[in-house]
Amino acid sequence: MVGQTRNNLRGAASGPSHSLRSTQARRRRRATEAGEPELEEEPKEEVNRPELPLPTRRGNLPGGARSYSPRRIRKLKTQNCVPVEMVTRTDLLNGRFQFLSSFLEQLWDKAQLLQRRQVSGKGAFCIAVFVSILHWVHLITLFENDRHFSHLSALEREMTFRTEMGLYYSYFKTIVEAPSFLQGLWMIMNDRLTEYPLVINTVKRFHLYPEVIIAFCYRTFVGIMNLFGLETKTCWNVTRIEPLNEVQSCEGLGDPACFYVGVIFILNGIMMGLFFMYGAYLSGTQLGGIITVLCYFFNHGEATRVMWTPPLRESFSYPFLVLQMYILTVILRTTNNSRRHFIALCLSNVAFMLPWQFAQFILFTQIASLFPMYIVGYIEPNKFQKIIHVNLISVFLCFVFMFGNPMYLSSYYSSSLLITLVIILKRNKIQRFGVSELHFWVIQGSAWFFGTIILKFLTSKILGVSDHIRLSDLIAARILRYTDFDTLIYTCAPEFDFMEKEIIFHTLQLLAFTSLAVLIMRLKLFLTPHMCVMASLICSRRLFGWLFCRVRFMLVILSVVTIMSIQGYVNLHNQWSIIGEFNNLPQEELIQWIKYNTRPDAVFAGAMPTMASVKLSTLHPIVNHPHYEDADLRARTKIVYSAYSRKSAKEVRDKLVELHVNYYILEEAWCVVRTKPGCSMLEIWDVEDPSNSANPPLCSVLLKDARPYFTTVFQNSMYRVLKLN
């Protein structure tokens, strides 16, 4: 029920006649300054289009025009061919098999070389850099193909950041457009627009350190470029099809949206290099790292969604988890660890936790994987104790950086760390009782399990954060089949639906990730990449060295990669075939109407995804938004969503007035949309409010006639704006 995260038109890539860009949404560019001719063919007839007022920008924009040719048209090169009559069939076949044999021999030699090469050295670094660049190019290509982002106006780019993505990006925009960085930071730390009339620290509430850092980098970059008089972006007028008016589109790092997504894609490009180093180190060969990279690419759609939803928190957080697990693997494998290993582990923990509220639960599964290894003696007690100390320091640092956010102290992660430390310190005392080794394992395991749960419950009660929805609460709702309004709002969303000694740690961690992915589909972003890392072990001489001397094991590896490549190519081809262009005229009309027909302090309420766009693009105050983890916000959203219940119009109007709402945005689709049985808004409300189940749906009543408690002041094919009377 959080709404779609992508609004695009998709067309088949089989031919130009089916391309949506070439027939329906083709855009053409011309220079923003007059004086130079168009560099592309003019249409047969010119149509005067009505223009909506657009904000004007002042500055030094370069003149001139750039040639623009239709995309996705290939020019086939003529190849030199030998006449067929001059070559016999036998010679032709022999030539082909000779070429194939030569190719396989070269491939064999390269694979043998990679199998023998160790991870260290310039060669491994060069491969890591290469796969990082390759993944970066892959991401920006998919993103551009999906939305035609380079040809969108600033407003359209903002509208592509749907739901919570728009909310996060709005704070980056606030800092960028503020008179100074510190003023912008103060504005988002004393925000009155997001939950009007409350004043909240959004950095603390929404984990906005990525936006703060990127905004600082953007202002620094633009300031330096302006100091030297260098242009940072190029702007063009883009003509759109009827009934859309002409808009301005800017490219370059000087454009805030381009800079923002560019940093995200660079970060996730580097992540692929980390995956190579991770897989190569785990398997002991560079070939293992390459297999990890191939597995990731072949299962790219299941491993990440950063190319479709860049601003989400995991886009910033997950690359640091890869780094953290790589460092932890080095610590577990190395006999004598230096201090810098543990410092690096601490910093990667902090970098992973700061951007994402769910990161602590992932680290909790990591501790749950390490603790059994410690019990049975696979990890030295001193080393394990240092790992726990580092994790505790990481939690404390995040607690300080997040202005004392109590969620860091009341999580399963922090509770498990404290219980683990107590068990380590009391280990010798328990052993004095002379219990058997098996009983000793059971005692420690039981103490850790029940102690973590009890301590988590106590800290939540003491700190008053038991009413926050956590990842554990959603999993409990899945297992116990418990339903109420709040859990249904989450679990009815498609991304929360069901799906489908070192080595020991990674196996246990894989089982934990598998459980999370089965329960909540969104969390498969942990399962699939970790399976790719585990695939590198096929090249491990430690595990399969006894086979290397009996069979031509490289042949087995190449056979596996070849078979894997068949479906992998199909998966990649499906991703490359996604061709679309973002276009949401109803929402564009809504935002333009709000900007130019309402007062700047007019307060709005409506569906959570739409509210994020309203706050981002109009800067009007809103009372609810998509960040649903806070208890007070859930109560506000429940009141707002009562417009889709069976309550009376007067009751809903009175509750909205208490929230200081001036306008309500009603979406007709939300009256009838049903993602699956039991997940329409009306069905959710019938579970929550059975006393009114016999009444007619309020949404249908408001669509027919909103009076006397509301007045319809704007409507189009998707939205209706109701003014509260």
Side-chain angles (χ1 to χ4, degrees), residues 64-334:
R66 184 184 69 180
S67 61
Y68 174 68
S69 58
R71 301 169 63 185
R72 322 202 81 75
I73 294 179
R74 295 182 177 178
K75 295 183 179 180
L76 302 179
K77 295 183 178 180
T78 304
Q79 297 179 352
N80 295 326
C81 301
V82 179
V84 180
E85 301 81 30
M86 298 177 61
V87 182
T88 64
R89 179 172 297 182
T90 303
D91 292 338
L92 183 62
L93 290 176
N94 288 338
R96 287 180 178 177
F97 283 117
Q98 272 189 346
F99 169 77
L100 181 61
S101 176
S102 175
F103 173 76
L104 289 177
E105 287 180 3
Q106 293 179 13
L107 185 62
W108 180 274
D109 293 339
K110 291 291 185 182
Q112 291 280 12
L113 182 61
L114 289 173
Q115 173 69 9
R116 291 191 298 268
R117 282 186 178 176
Q118 300 301 311
V119 182
S120 59
K122 295 182 179 179
F125 177 76
C126 292
I127 296 176
V129 172
F130 173 76
V131 297
S132 297
I133 296 174
L134 185 64
H135 192 226
W136 170 68
V137 172
H138 183 63
L139 291 176
I140 60 177
T141 301
L142 293 177
F143 184 70
E144 173 65 15
N145 287 350
D146 180 55
R147 306 183 188 188
H148 214 182
F149 199 71
S150 61
H151 284 58
L152 299 182
S153 65
L155 175 58
E156 288 176 309
R157 288 173 178 171
E158 291 176 357
M159 290 193 299
T160 64
F161 299 140
R162 295 276 296 165
T163 64
E164 59 201 274
M165 296 186 292
L167 187 69
Y168 299 137
Y169 181 77
S170 69
Y171 303 112
F172 167 80
K173 178 182 176 182
T174 298
I175 299 177
V176 164
E177 295 183 349
S180 68
F181 171 77
L182 291 179
Q183 284 180 279
L185 183 60
W186 185 91
M187 291 169 65
I188 68 172
M189 291 176 63
N190 298 270
D191 179 87
R192 294 193 62 186
L193 299 180
T194 305
E195 295 179 9
Y196 186 87
L198 301 179
V199 179
I200 61 174
N201 182 349
T202 59
V203 179
K204 176 181 179 180
R205 278 278 299 277
F206 305 139
H207 300 258
L208 295 180
Y209 271 101
E211 280 68 26
V212 172
I213 295 173
I214 297 177
F216 176 79
C217 294
Y218 173 83
R219 295 187 69 114
T220 303
F221 168 76
V222 173
I224 293 175
M225 297 298 282
N226 290 340
L227 182 65
F228 290 98
L230 301 175
E231 296 290 348
T232 58
K233 62 181 178 180
T234 304
C235 294
W236 313 85
N237 286 339
V238 178
T239 302
R240 305 185 293 179
I241 62 171
E242 291 286 0
L244 304 177
N245 62 303
E246 188 176 81
V247 294
Q248 186 184 74
S249 178
C250 297
E251 282 187 279
L253 293 179
D255 180 78
C258 293
F259 188 92
Y260 183 79
V261 298
V263 170
I264 297 174
F265 290 151
I266 290 173
L267 177 62
N268 283 265
I270 295 173
M271 180 190 70
M272 187 59 72
L274 288 174
F275 266 121
F276 168 77
M277 299 297 295
Y278 190 2
Y281 182 80
L282 192 62
S283 64
T285 65
Q286 293 182 12
L287 183 60
I290 292 177
I291 288 180
T292 295
V293 171
L294 287 176
C295 288
Y296 194 98
F297 270 104
F298 291 159
N299 300 277
H300 197 268
E302 303 296 321
T304 183
R305 54 178 182 160
V306 65
M307 59 283 189
W308 313 133
T309 56
L312 290 184
R313 299 300 84 185
E314 60 259 36
S315 300
F316 297 102
S317 186
Y318 185 74
F320 292 102
L321 176 64
V322 180
L323 176 63
Q324 188 265 357
M325 295 189 71
Y326 180 25
I327 295 171
L328 183 58
T329 304
V330 173
I331 291 175
L332 293 175
R333 177 172 286 181
T334 307

Side-chain angles (χ1 to χ4, degrees), residues 37-57:
E38 294 284 341
L39 294 185
E40 65 178 350
E41 184 178 349
E42 291 290 337
K44 293 183 179 179
E45 58 182 23
E46 192 70 21
V47 181
N48 293 326
R49 298 176 176 83
E51 294 190 2
L52 294 175
L54 295 173
T56 57
R57 297 185 180 180

Side-chain angles (χ1 to χ4, degrees), residues 709-720:
Y709 302 106
F710 300 90
T711 300
T712 302
V713 293
F714 169 84
Q715 73 177 73
N716 60 18
S717 61
M718 188 177 295
Y719 303 97
R720 294 198 184 193

Side-chain angles (χ1 to χ4, degrees), residues 34 86 146 185 223 379 395 398 417 459 508 661 678 697 700 711:
M86 298 177 61
D146 180 55
L185 183 60
I379 306 178
V395 172
C398 288
L417 291 174
T459 54
L508 294 174
V661 174
S700 301
T711 300

